[in-house]
Amino acid sequence: YFAPLESKIMHVLIPALLGRPVNQHERDILELPVRCGGLGIINPVRITSREYAYSVAVTKDHVSLINQQDPDITKLDMGKIKEKKEELRKQKEEFLSQRFKVLHKESDHQLKNHLDQAREKGASTWLSTLPLKDLNYVLNRQEFQDSIRLRYGWKIQGVPSKCACGNVNSIYHALDCKLGGYVSMRHNAIRDTAAFFLREAKCKDVRIEPALLTVQPSSFSRKTNTQDEARLDVAAVGLYAPFERTFFDIRVTHPNCDTNTFKTLDKIYKDHEKEKKDLYEERVLQSEKGSFVPLVFTTSGGMGP
């Protein structure tokens, strides 16, 4: 009964929404919830029988009362119904988990990486957030379609073959190229957001790009940054202890660049966190007598633990 509807969804709705047609494998991925790497565009052919079975199981006692023409709903065991709902929720999550594993296994290496990145905590919130104009959460059609293509590693139309920096251009290069200021804007936006939330958390003396005290290079390990003009991105007092100053340094990395292609996300985060700690942790602990926290983000929306 629902095959014609699914045909229209796949061949009319999705191409209009995303600006490109999709094959069956991509359609199956888009069916998954956003937290599982999809877009939540359900397949009515596949979902109806399963959802009907769930509905029958939850409303079994209600139906029994209706058949008996008994209007006394206090006879319903709400605790039992709640347990049934929780059981069905777990079954659904298990089904989605297994479904993701199958689709992940059938994907090529590049798509596997993008699916793993899309499943990171927080990486898909932009798809389920209200498009509030006051908070600049509104995307126009091209911005939305380009964001979806970045999410799955699909080619974006109209990208110049040559970058202004002289290198061969690509989506991955565009996310890394420092010409034009986008990389700095991206970094500074996160820096300013971190400072904003530290103030919201009632931390004191929140500073952006505070200068570090001058030090003697001979007193520190070789990897430590001992330059006189060294600065960290954000500092705040009172996060961990009432009078302790905590310093934060931010790194935004592209998980699909050449150096990260065959690394797991955990490995990417750990490598960048270690690099930041090697540069600044000893200096902050010994000279500033504070604490140091590296904040590592990915261009796909993930954040280090």
Side-chain angles (χ1 to χ4, degrees):
Y1 296 108
F2 291 99
L5 175 59
E6 167 56 20
S7 178
K8 291 295 183 182
I9 291 174
M10 179 172 176
H11 300 293
V12 179
L13 175 63
I14 292 178
L17 184 64
L18 306 186
R20 71 185 289 277
V22 295
N23 57 41
Q24 188 59 54
H25 181 63
E26 292 168 342
R27 171 65 185 104
D28 291 342
I29 290 173
L30 298 182
E31 180 189 359
L32 295 171
V34 293
R35 69 181 185 279
C36 296
L39 293 182
I41 305 176
I42 64 171
N43 181 336
V45 174
R46 183 176 288 118
I47 198 175
T48 47
S49 59
R50 187 174 71 252
E51 291 297 321
Y52 175 73
Y54 291 164
S55 178
V56 168
V58 170
T59 60
K60 180 180 178 181
D61 293 341
H62 294 76
V63 172
S64 178
L65 284 179
I66 293 172
N67 288 336
Q68 296 171 26
Q69 295 294 294
D70 189 345
D72 188 5
I73 61 173
T74 60
K75 294 180 180 179
L76 293 173
D77 187 342
M78 301 308 296
K80 179 181 176 182
I81 293 174
K82 185 177 180 180
E83 289 177 1
K84 190 64 178 178
K85 287 182 177 180
E86 180 63 18
E87 177 188 340
L88 294 175
R89 186 193 67 79
K90 290 180 179 178
Q91 289 181 12
K92 186 174 182 179
E93 288 300 316
E94 178 62 23
F95 170 81
L96 292 173
S97 176
Q98 293 302 319
R99 183 65 177 155
F100 174 83
K101 289 179 181 178
V102 171
L103 294 172
H104 187 273
K105 185 176 181 180
E106 294 173 351
S107 302
D108 59 32
H109 178 74
Q110 177 178 299
L111 184 53
K112 283 180 179 178
N113 285 344
H114 282 276
L115 290 176
D116 289 337
Q117 293 153 23
R119 290 189 77 200
E120 284 193 276
K121 184 177 181 180
S124 298
T125 52
W126 68 276
L127 286 165
S128 56
T129 299
L130 292 174
L132 302 176
K133 189 174 183 179
D134 290 345
L135 297 176
N136 296 319
Y137 289 168
V138 178
L139 300 177
N140 63 34
R141 181 181 64 181
Q142 180 177 345
E143 289 170 339
F144 176 78
Q145 291 180 350
D146 287 351
S147 296
I148 294 296
R149 291 170 186 247
L150 287 173
R151 179 177 172 86
Y152 296 111
W154 296 338
K155 184 178 180 181
I156 294 180
Q157 301 297 323
V159 175
S161 59
K162 204 78 171 176
C163 179
C165 71
N167 291 316
V168 175
N169 199 17
S170 69
I171 299 305
Y172 295 162
H173 174 76
L175 290 170
D176 271 342
C177 183
K178 293 179 173 56
L179 186 67
Y182 172 71
V183 170
S184 296
M185 290 169 60
R186 180 178 66 195
H187 171 277
N188 293 345
I190 296 175
R191 177 202 64 192
D192 295 344
T193 301
F196 170 80
F197 282 112
L198 286 167
R199 294 188 182 101
E200 287 289 296
K202 305 303 181 184
C203 290
K204 307 298 182 184
D205 194 22
V206 177
R207 300 182 187 182
I208 291 178
E209 295 191 357
L212 299 179
L213 297 173
T214 57
V215 295
Q216 291 294 328
S218 59
S219 302
F220 296 89
S221 60
R222 181 177 56 84
K223 292 183 179 180
T224 299
N225 182 346
T226 56
Q227 294 180 2
D228 289 344
E229 301 299 322
R231 294 175 179 269
L232 292 175
D233 288 315
V234 184
V237 174
L239 181 64
Y240 295 119
F243 301 104
E244 180 183 79
R245 187 179 301 278
T246 302
F247 293 83
F248 303 86
D249 205 47
I250 294 163
R251 168 73 58 83
V252 183
T253 184
H254 182 41
N256 297 304
C257 67
D258 292 341
T259 56
N260 290 333
T261 300
F262 295 100
K263 292 182 181 179
T264 64
L265 288 169
D266 285 343
K267 176 67 172 171
I268 291 172
Y269 289 127
K270 288 178 180 178
D271 285 352
H272 285 286
E273 287 176 356
K274 183 179 184 304
E275 183 178 338
K276 287 291 186 183
K277 287 181 177 180
D278 287 344
L279 285 171
Y280 297 110
E281 187 171 50
E282 184 182 4
R283 181 169 179 173
V284 169
L285 293 176
Q286 300 300 325
S287 177
E288 303 289 337
K289 304 303 180 184
S291 56
F292 175 69
V293 179
L295 299 177
V296 181
F297 300 85
T298 60
T299 55
S300 56
M303 178 180 177

